[in-house]
Amino acid sequence: QVQLVESGGGLVQAGASLRLSCAASGRTFSNYAMGWFRQAPGKEREFVAGIRRSGGSTAYADSVKGRFTISRDNAKNTVYLQMNNLKPEDTAVYYCAASVRVSIVRDANEYGYWGQGSQVTVSS
C-alpha cells in the first residue's frame, strides 16, 4: 500500500503561482511513476503531468505545458507540481497518483493509488 497526501492548494488570482506537494509513505517511493490529475466540477478527471520513476522524464497536458512543472525528490518521498501563470480554467481539485509502471502513464486507470485531493481555485 502507498499512502499519498497532497498539500499546497488554495485560492489565488489569475497569473499567480502555487506549488502542490504530495508526500508518499508505505512503500518504496522510487518504485512508482507519479502523476498529477485534476477534476473540475461537472468534468471528467484529466491528466495534468507525469514523471517516471527515476524522474528523468516528464510529460504534460497541452493545456498546462510551459506553465506547470512536475518534479520529484525520491529521498523525500515527495512529488511536486509547480504551477505558474495560473488561469481560471485551472480551477479544479488536484490529485496525485502512483503507478507501478516504470514510464509515464496518462491513463488514470493505470494508477492504483490516489491522494485525497487538493482544491485549487483561480479567480479572474
Side-chain angles (χ1 to χ4, degrees):
Q1 289 286 343
V2 176
Q3 291 79 43
L4 302 173
V5 178
E6 299 102 338
S7 61
L11 170 63
V12 297
Q13 290 189 331
S17 298
L18 279 175
R19 188 176 81 157
L20 301 180
S21 299
C22 173
S25 62
R27 291 288 180 90
T28 304
F29 181 64
S30 59
N31 286 346
Y32 297 87
M34 299 298 295
W36 286 96
F37 290 76
R38 67 187 181 186
Q39 188 165 19
K43 295 187 177 181
E44 293 187 353
R45 190 170 298 190
E46 65 174 353
F47 172 82
V48 175
I51 188 167
R52 61 179 295 151
R53 291 184 182 183
S54 65
S57 180
T58 58
Y60 299 91
D62 288 344
S63 59
V64 307
K65 200 172 295 183
R67 299 188 298 122
F68 290 12
T69 302
I70 186 172
S71 61
R72 66 189 296 162
D73 185 337
N74 286 345
K76 295 183 177 179
N77 294 341
T78 303
V79 63
Y80 305 96
L81 184 68
Q82 177 66 43
M83 304 183 292
N84 297 330
N85 189 22
L86 283 160
K87 303 176 180 181
E89 52 264 41
D90 295 318
T91 295
V93 177
Y94 283 72
Y95 300 89
C96 71
S99 170
V100 296
R101 299 290 188 181
V102 174
S103 298
I104 299 163
V105 285
R106 295 173 179 259
D107 184 352
N109 293 321
E110 295 288 345
Y111 289 82
Y113 304 97
W114 293 82
Q116 82 287 354
S118 182
Q119 177 70 48
V120 171
T121 303
V122 184
S123 63
S124 57

